[in-house]
Amino acid sequence: MKSDIQISKEATLWPIDQIAEAAGLSESEWEPYGRHKAKVWLDESHEKNADMGKLILVTSINPTPAGEGKSTVTVGLADALAQNHRTMIALREPSLGPVMGLKGGATGGGYSQVIPMDEINLHFTGDFHALTSAHNTLAALIDNHLYQGNNLQLDPRRILWKRALDVNDRALRNVTIGLGGPTSGVPREDGFDITVASELMAILTLSKTIEELQERINKIVIGYTYAKVPVTVQELGVGGAITALLKDALKPNLVQTIAHTPTLIHGGPFANIAQGTNSILATRTALKLADYVVTEAGFGADLGAEKFLDIKVPLLEKHPDTIVVVATIRALKMHGGVAKTDLTTPNVAALEIGLSNLGQHIKSMQRYGVPVVVAINQFTADTAEEMEIVQKYVAQFGVQAYVADVWVQGGDGALTLADAVVKATQAASAYTPLYTPDMSAKEKLQAIVQTIYGGADVELSGKAQRQLIEFAKYGWDKLPIVVAKTQYSLSDDAKKLGAPKDFAIHVREFVPKLGAGFLVALTGSILTMPGLPADPAANHITVDNMGEIDGIF
Amino acid sequence: MKSDIQISKEATLWPIDQIAEAAGLSESEWEPYGRHKAKVWLDESHEKNADMGKLILVTSINPTPAGEGKSTVTVGLADALAQNHRTMIALREPSLGPVMGLKGGATGGGYSQVIPMDEINLHFTGDFHALTSAHNTLAALIDNHLYQGNNLQLDPRRILWKRALDVNDRALRNVTIGLGGPTSGVPREDGFDITVASELMAILTLSKTIEELQERINKIVIGYTYAKVPVTVQELGVGGAITALLKDALKPNLVQTIAHTPTLIHGGPFANIAQGTNSILATRTALKLADYVVTEAGFGADLGAEKFLDIKVPLLEKHPDTIVVVATIRALKMHGGVAKTDLTTPNVAALEIGLSNLGQHIKSMQRYGVPVVVAINQFTADTAEEMEIVQKYVAQFGVQAYVADVWVQGGDGALTLADAVVKATQAASAYTPLYTPDMSAKEKLQAIVQTIYGGADVELSGKAQRQLIEFAKYGWDKLPIVVAKTQYSLSDDAKKLGAPKDFAIHVREFVPKLGAGFLVALTGSILTMPGLPADPAANHITVDNMGEIDGIF
């Protein structure tokens, strides 16, 4: 079997000007980055006058080591739609840290890939690097302020703005800085997050204009004074410089699938530690250009789709017309307790148990009032009997499941799914958000835990409770909530597969993100800086003298 | 008076395909990055068959706060040459850290600028970001190795590979990492250098092919085992991944001057802490494309030009045909003891004292057997009498000085200088390197100190002496030397202006850079991570809703 990168290399890339033209962009609306990538910025008249297309949100069951192929289905479904409709894809950008660690990016697989996959997975057009640079420039300016007399009276023990790098580097989670005597800064504790967890990433993906970008940056709370008063970037006076560093990163990036479907890839917050959806601008641009836009949200529906529907939709001012929930027979069997090594053996009993995970996600998505379709991403070991069981199971929710054989066949493997999705988008849908702004943080969390996770309640640590009292003083207590939680379980315990019941979610701490406009609730033992495994992917990446890369997957 | 960025914005940019064509590149030899930047990679036949043009190296006296305008003269001289000859420029890329701090980049000024200056000074084509990313990926892989069982028996107290960021951030000079308990790495002392000081930057600027890049990366010594045996990247097994991250950064970047002279900007090592010259590939590519190539080396001739002539020339296999030493009357007066506030007052006495600095640099450059021309970068307060004194002074070295009024007039202000330079390049030159490979490190340092700096001797600290004994065991003791030294003085004491005599240079420590192929000698109190000033430039940078940036200088 060919590897994804081999298939990517063998694909024929169209010059990016051809893709831009096919997408309906005029020449003033895009800039090339190499011969096969571009940055896009719609002219005002184009942005204003075009109607919005239909929006299809692809999400999935809780991920397992068996693989669900959500990005692969996203790409395959769009390639199928593109055979008969003006279609675009809107995805997140892959983070470099994990590419060097355990897995490749989010560019799909097999014959349902966005290409050139190696360039997209490595530096792409530099957006993440611009974010890393802007993030650490702000950090340097904060420490310089401490060093140069500290006019703002910032308490070095209460700086919220950490540093960031796009690497998996556990050794940087907790550091002390400013050592080496009086000429080398003010000693204090600090830490690094992975760039996708930076508030600047959240802000970039939520801003529609440079002006809004700067307004949000100015609102970032960098820390507290000795008198415990919050201090913002505005007060530090460097919002212009930080915005200037991000002005090009704000433009969505255009690439293509193997079938040449125009694809916007932009912004990459992880759904387990941030809001997990691609940028408002990319989705909006695609909706202005195409009749059908396929987008995805990170990890399972409990993480990515919930945030898409409760955080992104109100800002996008457009809700999905259909939600596609992706599962594989293999992964459902893992949710039913089968080990990864036994997945090729048919196991009806385990499948029936594991389907509870799919069921919870179907129910939670239906709660939003949007039509739901299930896509089963096909693997060779799947049997007709197993597929029948899935179909029978989902029928109880009034939902249908379709097989998508997209890894092998590309868009041709998703034509039936595409027809079903088109039909679903034509149904009248009545989007209802999960919570209203006036609800308290605890009430919002309860709605998420009970309705989306199928859990019992939320438990706040003493610190989290004290924080909410403090936040109320500043009017931050009514902000939307981004739950940072393990992606592997509906609960905050990665080991509880299937559809656990009667569990509580434990919030150990809130992180206020005033620029992004939400509170992050850290649950369980979730970390905002991953580590590398014992045998990292970096050990196997090669490049030849022609610049051809191998070993990325 | 207009600011540099205003002049840059008002200039008419030609589309980059026009510049590429004017430079003689076929379409397969370049890739666009936006509409006004490109990456260049000569076809093999082109690279092999074209003759090399004449090489002109621009250097200067020791910099002062009065400004010398070396980049401005470089651009103006090239624009003057371009009026009658196929001419290209080869410059270093500006570092983002200092752009946010005290000064702008190295794109020239006034009407002698490379444009678009804001893009070049900020992210440009992402080369520095790729270096930062590769550097920190390697660091993460090293700490992961320590964490995952440490098969190589690396001594955490003897890791040489620090981390790097392209910021001015003194608080990161000395840090402790790996804190937070057993799941967050192995605690140890570490530090961050600015990206331009990374050995990867040195390697990138010295490599001609991807293969050579990888070979050099594999040779990097990352630290020592508990038994004090050096450990390389090769042994860690991640040379392929790090090379893959740098394969595009290896390609020189093409832009234009305000007068549309094709300009390659590539690599950015600082001359005070690294080798201070742009990439071998960019200089070589320019020499293959043009009849006259103007390049510069960082800071004064003691730092940049010395390294150009002793480190770069042997690898480039081409020596300069003429060296232009830039000075201003203002800066010479500062070297004569005048305060910055009094520079507009004619002061013949101070000028005569300050000329000693220019004299030392002329002598040291003549030592290499290459014709020398002096360029006086004109300021409005300069008087005819002062200019006459300069001309009389340099005549004693058999050299002529020419006025260059390039800030105001662009290339038209350097036509006489250009004629003199063309004439000088036609003289037979006999390049002789300062030292031979078989000389000891101390002998090489003595040659640099006595011949180039005009000093008496070199003093090695106890540590430096012990290091040389150790290095001899590994065969590193005969490598070329990169002196890291203050740029403000010929000595290692920033306060000694003019041409100090009888001083010693104090080497406190050597840093072995086996991938780059040299030893860095840290002298005086030189730092490899700068800090920000009390009122950093970042406080004044703005961007409007159209993406127009102001406040970069």
Side-chain angles (χ1 to χ4, degrees):
Chain A
M1 204 170 73
K2 286 179 184 168
S3 70
D4 288 349
I5 193 164
Q6 278 174 306
I7 294 170
S8 161
K9 294 281 174 201
E10 287 169 22
T12 313
L13 285 153
W14 285 1
I16 197 64
D17 46 353
Q18 228 171 302
I19 299 294
E21 204 189 317
L25 292 163
S26 69
E27 221 192 300
S28 63
E29 294 180 312
W30 64 277
E31 278 191 324
Y33 272 66
R35 302 279 180 196
H36 304 110
K37 295 167 285 179
K39 281 214 163 263
V40 171
W41 195 258
L42 291 187
D43 289 342
E44 208 174 325
S45 62
H46 198 164
E47 217 279 332
K48 261 196 189 147
N49 299 335
D51 290 332
M52 298 265 247
K54 296 282 189 187
L55 183 59
I56 298 142
L57 173 64
V58 179
T59 182
S60 84
I61 60 170
N62 288 92
T64 71
E68 299 67 43
K70 187 177 55 197
S71 305
T72 309
V73 171
T74 301
V75 173
L77 169 60
D79 282 345
L81 287 166
Q83 295 189 12
N84 299 302
H85 306 278
R86 282 181 76 87
T87 305
M88 281 185 81
I89 301 173
L91 296 177
R92 283 168 304 151
E93 302 180 44
S95 167
L96 193 49
V99 170
M100 292 291 153
L102 258 187
K103 71 170 284 253
T107 50
Y111 290 89
S112 292
Q113 279 191 71
V114 188
I115 49 175
M117 83 84 107
D118 53 344
E119 293 182 29
I120 298 170
N121 277 307
L122 296 180
H123 307 296
F124 201 25
T125 59
D127 293 345
F128 281 28
H129 292 326
L131 284 159
T132 300
S133 175
H135 189 113
N136 294 312
T137 296
L138 177 52
L141 288 160
I142 292 168
D143 273 292
N144 188 54
H145 186 87
L146 293 177
Y147 174 83
Q148 302 283 0
N150 197 8
N151 277 341
L152 292 170
Q153 286 295 294
L154 271 167
D155 183 344
R157 303 162 305 174
R158 291 195 169 83
I159 305 288
L160 293 179
W161 194 255
K162 295 160 76 178
R163 285 170 168 82
L165 278 174
D166 192 9
V167 288
N168 282 17
D169 194 347
R170 66 174 68 72
L172 294 180
R173 279 177 197 150
N174 301 288
V175 302
T176 55
I177 62 168
L179 307 177
T183 60
S184 290
V186 177
R188 63 182 187 88
E189 291 182 39
D190 196 12
F192 284 72
D193 288 336
I194 189 161
T195 298
V196 293
S198 166
E199 185 171 358
L200 289 176
M201 172 65 87
I203 288 174
L204 187 89
T205 55
L206 297 175
S207 299
K208 290 190 203 79
T209 61
I210 295 176
E211 209 175 349
E212 182 182 354
L213 180 68
Q214 177 149 354
E215 277 167 17
R216 286 178 177 272
I217 287 170
N218 273 327
K219 282 185 195 157
I220 293 171
V221 173
I222 55 174
Y224 298 88
T225 65
Y226 288 107
K228 295 194 191 166
V229 178
V231 177
T232 64
V233 168
Q234 172 100 52
E235 290 164 82
L236 193 64
V238 298
I242 304 305
T243 308
L245 286 169
L246 294 177
K247 77 175 177 79
D248 292 318
L250 186 62
K251 299 176 189 164
N253 307 292
L254 179 69
V255 284
Q256 63 192 290
T257 68
I258 289 179
H260 315 297
T261 305
T263 303
L264 293 174
I265 300 201
H266 194 222
F270 287 174
N272 56 346
I273 52 180
Q275 86 268 33
T277 70
N278 79 316
S279 77
I280 298 263
L281 256 174
T283 308
R284 196 179 157 81
T285 301
L287 286 166
K288 290 284 177 179
L289 292 168
D291 295 326
Y292 289 88
V293 173
V294 188
T295 188
E296 64 164 0
F299 296 123
D302 53 329
L303 289 176
E306 186 276 318
K307 287 157 192 163
F308 191 100
L309 291 157
D310 290 316
I311 308 272
K312 181 170 174 174
V313 163
L315 295 166
L316 181 63
E317 297 174 354
K318 163 83 189 166
H319 64 81
D321 296 284
T322 296
I323 296 173
V324 177
V325 182
V326 177
T328 59
I329 304 282
R330 293 156 53 84
L332 290 170
K333 283 196 270 194
M334 282 200 91
H335 274 292
V338 175
K340 200 182 169 186
T341 42
D342 295 334
L343 290 175
T344 48
T345 319
N347 188 333
V348 166
L351 177 60
E352 282 175 341
I353 299 169
L355 276 166
S356 61
N357 188 269
L358 176 60
Q360 175 61 31
H361 290 300
I362 294 173
K363 269 192 295 180
S364 76
M365 292 298 100
Q366 287 182 321
R367 157 66 188 72
Y368 288 93
V370 177
V372 172
V373 170
V374 170
I376 300 297
N377 183 23
Q378 189 162 36
F379 278 72
T380 41
D382 298 354
T383 67
E385 190 194 1
E386 288 171 325
M387 189 59 208
E388 216 168 285
I389 290 168
V390 173
Q391 264 152 345
K392 213 173 280 174
Y393 177 82
V394 303
Q396 68 180 292
F397 304 100
V399 162
Q400 280 198 284
Y402 300 87
V403 171
D405 184 20
V406 288
W407 199 99
V408 175
Q409 298 187 53
D412 289 344
L415 291 172
T416 319
L417 173 66
D419 283 345
V421 165
V422 167
K423 213 167 286 167
T425 61
Q426 284 155 359
S429 76
Y431 163 80
T432 326
L434 182 66
Y435 51 74
T436 52
D438 58 299
M439 284 160 68
S440 72
K442 179 137 193 194
E443 287 168 338
K444 284 173 183 143
L445 278 162
Q446 281 167 331
I448 294 171
V449 171
Q450 290 161 4
T451 310
I452 308 299
Y453 304 167
D457 206 352
V458 60
E459 280 173 15
L460 304 183
S461 71
K463 177 173 184 178
Q465 292 178 38
R466 286 193 301 276
Q467 284 184 301
L468 288 181
I469 294 166
E470 185 212 328
F471 291 176
K473 286 196 286 187
Y474 313 125
W476 305 346
D477 54 327
K478 298 294 173 66
L479 288 171
I481 309 266
V482 162
V483 179
K485 179 180 80 66
T486 176
Q487 63 267 35
Y488 297 113
S489 171
L490 283 158
S491 75
D492 59 8
D493 175 354
K495 294 195 191 73
K496 289 187 180 154
L497 303 186
K501 290 286 158 217
D502 301 321
F503 60 86
I505 292 286
H506 307 84
V507 176
R508 65 172 200 264
E509 185 182 350
F510 289 100
V511 186
K513 306 256 180 176
L514 275 291
F518 51 64
L519 304 178
V520 175
L522 297 176
T523 74
S525 55
I526 191 82
L527 293 166
T528 50
M529 171 58 94
L532 289 168
D535 183 27
N539 290 359
H540 310 286
I541 294 173
T542 60
V543 56
D544 70 16
N545 208 22
M546 302 303 293
E548 293 294 326
I549 290 176
D550 206 352
I552 296 178
F553 58 102
Chain B
M1 205 169 71
K2 285 178 186 168
S3 70
D4 287 349
I5 193 165
Q6 277 176 308
I7 293 169
S8 161
K9 294 279 172 203
E10 287 168 19
T12 313
L13 285 152
W14 284 0
I16 197 64
D17 48 351
Q18 228 171 302
I19 299 294
E21 204 190 316
L25 292 164
S26 68
E27 221 192 300
S28 63
E29 293 181 313
W30 64 277
E31 278 191 322
Y33 273 67
R35 302 281 179 195
H36 303 110
K37 297 168 284 183
K39 281 214 163 264
V40 172
W41 194 259
L42 289 188
D43 289 342
E44 209 173 323
S45 63
H46 198 164
E47 217 279 332
K48 262 195 188 147
N49 299 335
D51 290 331
M52 298 266 248
K54 296 284 189 186
L55 182 58
I56 298 142
L57 173 63
V58 179
T59 182
S60 84
I61 60 170
N62 289 90
T64 70
E68 299 67 43
K70 187 178 54 198
S71 305
T72 309
V73 171
T74 300
V75 174
L77 169 59
D79 283 344
L81 287 165
Q83 294 188 10
N84 299 303
H85 307 278
R86 281 180 78 86
T87 304
M88 280 184 82
I89 302 174
L91 295 178
R92 283 169 303 151
E93 302 180 45
S95 167
L96 192 50
V99 170
M100 291 293 153
L102 257 185
K103 70 169 284 253
T107 50
Y111 291 89
S112 294
Q113 279 192 72
V114 188
I115 50 177
M117 82 83 108
D118 52 345
E119 292 182 29
I120 298 169
N121 277 306
L122 296 181
H123 307 297
F124 201 23
T125 59
D127 293 345
F128 281 29
H129 293 326
L131 285 159
T132 301
S133 176
H135 189 113
N136 294 312
T137 296
L138 178 52
L141 287 160
I142 292 168
D143 274 291
N144 189 54
H145 185 87
L146 293 177
Y147 174 83
Q148 302 281 1
N150 198 8
N151 276 342
L152 291 171
Q153 286 294 296
L154 272 167
D155 184 343
R157 302 161 307 175
R158 290 195 168 83
I159 305 288
L160 292 179
W161 194 256
K162 296 162 73 180
R163 286 172 166 81
L165 278 174
D166 192 10
V167 288
N168 283 18
D169 194 348
R170 65 173 69 74
L172 293 181
R173 279 177 199 152
N174 301 288
V175 302
T176 56
I177 63 168
L179 308 177
T183 60
S184 289
V186 176
R188 63 181 188 87
E189 291 182 39
D190 196 11
F192 285 71
D193 288 336
I194 189 163
T195 298
V196 293
S198 167
E199 184 171 358
L200 289 176
M201 172 65 87
I203 288 174
L204 187 91
T205 55
L206 296 176
S207 300
K208 290 191 201 77
T209 61
I210 294 176
E211 210 176 348
E212 182 182 354
L213 180 68
Q214 177 149 351
E215 277 168 17
R216 288 177 175 273
I217 287 170
N218 273 327
K219 283 185 195 156
I220 293 171
V221 173
I222 55 174
Y224 298 89
T225 65
Y226 288 107
K228 295 195 189 165
V229 178
V231 177
T232 64
V233 168
Q234 173 100 52
E235 290 164 82
L236 193 64
V238 299
I242 305 304
T243 308
L245 286 170
L246 294 176
K247 78 175 177 78
D248 292 317
L250 187 63
K251 300 176 188 164
N253 307 293
L254 179 69
V255 284
Q256 62 192 290
T257 68
I258 288 177
H260 314 298
T261 305
T263 303
L264 293 174
I265 300 200
H266 194 221
F270 287 173
N272 56 346
I273 52 179
Q275 87 268 33
T277 71
N278 78 318
S279 77
I280 298 260
L281 256 175
T283 308
R284 195 178 157 82
T285 301
L287 285 165
K288 289 285 177 179
L289 291 168
D291 296 326
Y292 289 88
V293 173
V294 189
T295 189
E296 64 165 359
F299 296 125
D302 53 330
L303 289 176
E306 186 275 318
K307 288 157 192 163
F308 191 101
L309 292 156
D310 291 316
I311 308 272
K312 181 170 175 174
V313 163
L315 295 166
L316 181 63
E317 297 173 355
K318 163 81 189 168
H319 63 80
D321 296 284
T322 296
I323 296 173
V324 177
V325 181
V326 177
T328 58
I329 304 280
R330 293 156 52 84
L332 290 169
K333 282 196 269 193
M334 281 200 91
H335 273 292
V338 175
K340 200 183 169 187
T341 42
D342 295 334
L343 290 175
T344 48
T345 319
N347 188 332
V348 167
L351 177 61
E352 282 175 341
I353 299 169
L355 276 166
S356 61
N357 187 271
L358 176 59
Q360 175 61 31
H361 290 300
I362 294 172
K363 269 192 294 180
S364 75
M365 292 297 100
Q366 286 181 323
R367 156 68 188 70
Y368 289 93
V370 176
V372 172
V373 170
V374 170
I376 299 297
N377 182 23
Q378 189 162 36
F379 279 73
T380 40
D382 298 354
T383 67
E385 190 195 1
E386 289 170 325
M387 189 59 209
E388 216 168 284
I389 290 167
V390 173
Q391 263 152 346
K392 213 173 278 174
Y393 176 82
V394 303
Q396 68 180 293
F397 305 99
V399 162
Q400 280 198 283
Y402 300 87
V403 171
D405 184 20
V406 288
W407 200 100
V408 174
Q409 296 187 55
D412 289 344
L415 291 171
T416 318
L417 172 66
D419 284 346
V421 165
V422 167
K423 212 167 287 167
T425 62
Q426 285 155 358
S429 75
Y431 163 78
T432 325
L434 183 65
Y435 51 75
T436 52
D438 58 298
M439 285 161 66
S440 72
K442 178 136 195 197
E443 287 167 339
K444 284 173 184 145
L445 278 163
Q446 281 168 331
I448 294 170
V449 171
Q450 289 160 4
T451 310
I452 308 297
Y453 305 166
D457 205 353
V458 60
E459 281 174 14
L460 304 183
S461 71
K463 176 174 186 176
Q465 292 177 40
R466 286 192 302 278
Q467 284 183 301
L468 288 181
I469 294 166
E470 184 212 328
F471 292 175
K473 286 196 283 185
Y474 313 125
W476 305 346
D477 55 326
K478 297 294 171 68
L479 288 170
I481 308 265
V482 161
V483 179
K485 179 181 79 68
T486 176
Q487 63 268 35
Y488 297 113
S489 170
L490 283 157
S491 76
D492 60 9
D493 174 354
K495 294 195 190 73
K496 289 187 179 154
L497 303 187
K501 291 284 156 218
D502 302 321
F503 59 86
I505 292 286
H506 307 84
V507 176
R508 63 172 202 263
E509 183 181 353
F510 289 100
V511 186
K513 307 253 180 178
L514 274 292
F518 51 64
L519 304 178
V520 175
L522 298 175
T523 74
S525 55
I526 192 81
L527 293 166
T528 50
M529 172 56 95
L532 290 168
D535 183 28
N539 291 357
H540 309 286
I541 294 173
T542 60
V543 56
D544 69 18
N545 208 24
M546 302 302 293
E548 294 293 326
I549 289 175
D550 206 352
I552 296 177
F553 58 103

